[in-house]
């Protein structure tokens, strides 16, 4: 009950004009980015990430939720008007929206898309609010060995979900994990892979990885067709500078952008690399802690119920996604 | 046959993975007194990367002969963009925000369009640089380097 009262009292935060301004700005930015083909709400979020450092948590979260939700809906504008989905989530909107536009019902189509998006988003948010307390309690049951198995499960699933290119996904995840190991070790005072370069002692910062992977790689991929990308590139590199006031991070963003561009061009899923980079430090730490707690006994991953649960879950996913392959779904673009 | 563009990329990744594994071995033994050392995880990741890269190289070598060569002309704009960003980052502090960003945006506009109407493009670059300055310095309070301190 307390939880529900807290949830409803949080609506009062919206009465603050400062918060409301950021929510409205977030919706505008998300809509504009999603409506331009090639630019996505994820890119907007990546570009604006360091600017949230000066905001309090509530305002930043509200601004981000606004960008994300507007981004999910905004792609339907170009999907309906010119049959080019502004975001991948708007692909299905183009199937009905564009024919409606040709019949002179474009405004109606946009209204339906916005209403559907609002309804889906609201139901999803309510479900999340309803189950969040139970999920939080459940998460306390997962101990060190369970946390390792959960992270390993996440990486395995992200890799095997890339049907038809599992080796590429595996290699991309390894590259992410390699990037995560650069810098000071989490448990012992040892530096790794810095090659005497002091800027790398603290590791590779998340900011240049995200800016490089999303913004710079995107610019390089679309270098031929868009003139509006010059401003985006300049802004993207300045955002890396904002995070630390260091040109080293700008170089790092460039390096990550070039890496992500070539990975994409050669059919590697860069999201898998990013997940490897993000999950890597915890994966290593929980692996080492688990084995330290069990005196080096690897059976600890099968004797602890929380860990065993995730090991079995991994096997279930491997069975259904790799061994017993699901039927191919016809490509959306080929549908008449 | 052995120097298809995708294969070259895979060879580079394989070489980097081998270098990574060799560097991780210099961190010492992976297991000491039954406990894992900072070398263990990188060795594991390095071995996995070599395995995946080798699998992909073998897979590619088997299919490379069947592939039809691409007919689309090659463009190198993305490489020029990388060069432009590199020099932009180099010049950012010594030249200050306005000069470096102005030149960089101008260079990118020219790269993405054509080598004509240069005064219009220069004016556009100046406007973009000015708007970005207002956004970062005035709106978000980010201190950008300038020639006047």
């Amino acid at each position: 009950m307390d939880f529900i009262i807290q949830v409803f009292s949080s609506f009062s935060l919206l009465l603050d004009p400062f918060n409301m301004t950021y929510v409205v700005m977030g919706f505008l930015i998300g809509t504009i980015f999603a409506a331009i083909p090639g630019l996505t709400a994820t890119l907007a979020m990546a570009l604006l990430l360091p600017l949230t450092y000066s905001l309090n948590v509530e305002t930043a979260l509200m601004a981000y939720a606004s960008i994300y939700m507007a981004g999910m809906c905004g792609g339907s504008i170009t999907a309906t008007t010119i049959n080019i989905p502004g975001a991948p989530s708007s692909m299905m909107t183009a199937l009905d929206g564009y024919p409606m536009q040709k019949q002179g019902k474009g405004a109606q189509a946009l209204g339906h898309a916005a209403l559907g998006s609002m309804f889906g988003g609201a139901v999803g948010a309510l479900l999340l609010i309803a189950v969040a307390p139970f999920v939080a309690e459940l998460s306390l049951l997962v101990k060190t060995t369970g946390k390792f198995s959960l992270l390993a499960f996440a990486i395995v699933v992200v890799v095997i979900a890339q049907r038809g290119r599992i080796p590429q996904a595996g290699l991309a995840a390894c590259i992410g994990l390699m990037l995560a190991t650069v810098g000071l070790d989490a448990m012992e005072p040892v530096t790794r892979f810095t090659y005497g370069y002091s800027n790398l002692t603290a590791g590779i910062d998340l900011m240049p990885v995200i800016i490089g992977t999303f913004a710079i790689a995107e610019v390089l991929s679309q270098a031929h067709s868009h003139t509006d990308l010059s401003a985006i590139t300049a802004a993207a590199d300045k955002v890396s500078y904002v995070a630390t006031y260091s040109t080293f991070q700008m170089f790092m963003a460039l390096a990550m952008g070039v890496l992500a561009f070539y990975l994409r061009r050669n059919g590697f899923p860069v999201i898998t690399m990013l997940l490897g980079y993000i999950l890597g430090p915890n994966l290593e730490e929980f692996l080492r802690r688990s084995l330290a707690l069990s005196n080096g006994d690897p059976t600890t991953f099968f004797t602890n119920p929380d860990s065993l649960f995730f090991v079995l879950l991994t096997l279930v996913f491997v069975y259904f996604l790799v061994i017993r392959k699901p039927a191919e779904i016809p490509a959306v673009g080929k549908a008449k | 046959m052995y120097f298809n563009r995708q294969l070259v990329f895979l060879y580079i990744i394989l070489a980097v993975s081998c270098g990574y594994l060799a560097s991780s071995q210099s961190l010492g033994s992976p297991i000491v007194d039954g406990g894992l050392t900072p070398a263990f995880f990188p060795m594991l990741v390095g071995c996995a990367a070599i395995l995946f890269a080798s699998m992909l190289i073998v897979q590619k070598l088997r299919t490379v002969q069947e592939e039809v060569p691409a007919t689309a002309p090659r463009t190198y704009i993305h490489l020029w963009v990388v060069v432009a960003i590199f020099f932009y980052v180099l010049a950012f502090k010594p030249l200050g925000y306005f000069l470096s960003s102005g030149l960089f945006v101008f260079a990118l506009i020219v790269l993405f369009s054509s080598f004509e109407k240069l005064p219009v493009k220069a004016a556009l670059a100046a406007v973009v640089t000015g708007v970005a300055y207002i956004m970062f310095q005035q709106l978000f309070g980010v201190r950008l380097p300038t020639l006047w301190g």
Side-chain angles (χ1 to χ4, degrees):
Chain A
M1 191 64 194
D2 283 349
F3 176 75
I4 294 167
I5 292 167
Q6 275 178 8
V7 167
F8 280 102
S9 66
S10 66
F11 280 103
S12 64
L13 288 168
L14 280 172
L15 297 175
D16 184 343
F18 182 73
N19 288 342
M20 196 43 122
T21 307
Y22 272 90
V23 167
V24 173
M25 274 171 63
F27 268 105
L28 282 175
I29 293 168
T31 306
I32 292 167
F33 268 72
I36 299 172
L39 307 185
T40 61
T42 316
L43 176 63
M45 288 163 84
L47 285 172
L48 297 173
L49 191 59
L51 304 175
T52 59
Y53 289 179
S54 58
L55 300 175
N56 60 41
V57 179
E58 292 89 357
T59 313
L61 281 175
M62 280 194 272
Y64 260 59
S66 306
I67 294 174
Y68 179 75
M69 287 172 196
M72 288 295 107
C73 176
S76 60
I77 298 171
T78 44
T80 304
T81 52
I82 53 172
N83 202 25
I84 299 174
S89 56
S90 308
M91 275 168 63
M92 302 313 283
T93 314
L95 295 179
D96 287 330
Y98 187 62
M100 281 180 78
Q101 158 81 6
K102 285 204 288 191
Q103 291 165 17
K105 295 177 186 168
Q108 204 182 351
L110 283 174
H112 280 309
L115 185 72
S117 186
M118 189 274 284
F119 184 75
V123 169
L126 285 173
L127 274 176
L128 178 67
I129 290 169
V131 300
F134 307 109
V135 173
E137 275 179 38
L138 273 178
S139 69
L140 293 175
L141 298 175
V142 182
K143 305 283 189 315
T144 308
T145 45
K147 282 174 185 168
F148 168 76
S149 301
L150 169 63
L151 291 168
F153 160 75
I155 288 192
V156 169
V157 170
V158 165
V159 168
I160 61 174
Q162 300 287 336
R163 276 175 246 151
R165 50 176 187 168
I166 291 176
Q168 284 94 330
L171 188 51
C174 286
I175 292 170
L177 292 169
M178 285 181 193
L179 293 171
T181 55
V182 175
L184 203 61
D185 180 58
M187 294 172 72
E188 289 177 35
V190 177
T191 52
R192 300 184 293 187
F193 311 106
T194 58
Y195 305 103
Y197 202 55
S198 60
N199 274 316
L200 286 173
T201 307
I204 296 174
D205 201 60
L206 175 67
M207 194 58 56
V209 176
I210 289 188
I211 298 292
T213 307
F214 289 110
I216 294 179
E218 186 66 42
V219 170
L220 296 177
S221 296
Q222 300 188 29
H224 318 272
S225 53
H226 292 286
T227 53
D228 53 346
L229 292 168
S230 47
I232 302 282
T233 319
D237 236 10
K238 270 193 283 298
V239 165
S240 305
Y241 176 77
V242 169
T244 54
Y245 287 92
S246 134
T247 47
F248 172 75
Q249 300 294 357
M250 294 169 89
F251 276 121
M252 192 51 82
L254 173 61
M256 292 309 306
V258 172
L259 173 68
F261 167 71
Y262 280 105
L263 284 174
R264 273 166 66 160
R265 210 163 99 154
N266 288 289
F268 289 82
V270 289
I271 294 291
T272 314
M273 179 198 76
L274 199 63
L275 271 165
Y277 165 77
I278 291 170
L279 300 179
N282 282 334
L283 186 75
E284 180 183 7
E285 190 182 333
F286 289 126
L287 171 68
R288 284 163 67 183
R289 280 190 198 285
S290 303
L291 290 175
L293 287 169
S294 66
N295 295 320
D297 179 12
T299 58
T300 184
F301 297 110
F302 306 100
T303 51
N304 280 299
D306 52 340
S307 173
L308 183 64
F309 172 75
F310 289 113
V311 170
L312 292 175
L313 203 61
T314 309
L315 293 176
V316 168
F317 271 73
V318 169
Y319 175 73
F320 280 107
L321 289 177
V322 182
I323 300 168
R324 183 175 174 269
K325 289 177 184 171
E328 287 291 321
I329 300 164
V332 171
K334 288 176 185 169
K336 295 278 176 191
Chain B
M1 168 191 170
Y2 296 102
F3 291 99
N4 166 291
R5 262 161 62 186
Q6 259 191 320
L7 264 174
V8 170
F9 180 73
L10 289 173
Y11 286 139
I12 293 170
I13 296 284
L14 180 64
V16 171
S17 305
C18 291
Y20 178 85
L21 183 63
S23 293
S24 64
Q25 281 169 343
S26 70
L27 292 167
S29 173
I31 299 172
V32 173
D33 298 331
L36 304 185
T37 69
F40 181 85
F41 192 72
M43 281 185 190
L44 195 68
V45 173
C47 288
I50 291 171
L51 179 74
F52 282 123
S54 306
M55 276 170 69
L56 285 167
I57 287 171
V58 172
Q59 212 175 60
K60 192 74 199 161
L61 281 172
R62 280 181 185 164
T63 57
V64 80
Q65 279 179 316
E66 298 158 17
E67 283 176 6
V68 181
T71 50
R74 284 186 186 185
T75 57
Y76 294 98
I77 297 175
H78 59 283
L79 292 181
W80 286 112
V81 173
V82 172
V83 172
I85 297 176
F86 180 82
F87 282 107
Y88 172 52
V89 177
L90 268 189
F92 192 62
K93 276 191 173 168
L95 286 188
Y97 165 78
F98 280 106
L99 210 51
S100 62
S101 298
L103 285 171
F104 174 65
V105 173
F106 176 69
L108 286 193
I109 293 174
V110 172
L111 273 176
F112 290 140
S113 53
S114 58
F115 208 75
E116 54 190 24
K117 293 182 186 172
L118 294 183
V120 178
K121 286 169 186 172
L124 191 62
V127 170
V128 169
T129 309
V131 169
Y133 178 78
I134 292 169
M135 198 174 86
F136 278 91
Q137 183 105 7
Q138 306 298 329
L139 203 65
F140 300 126
V142 175
R143 196 169 45 81
L144 294 165
T146 52
L147 281 178
W148 54 88

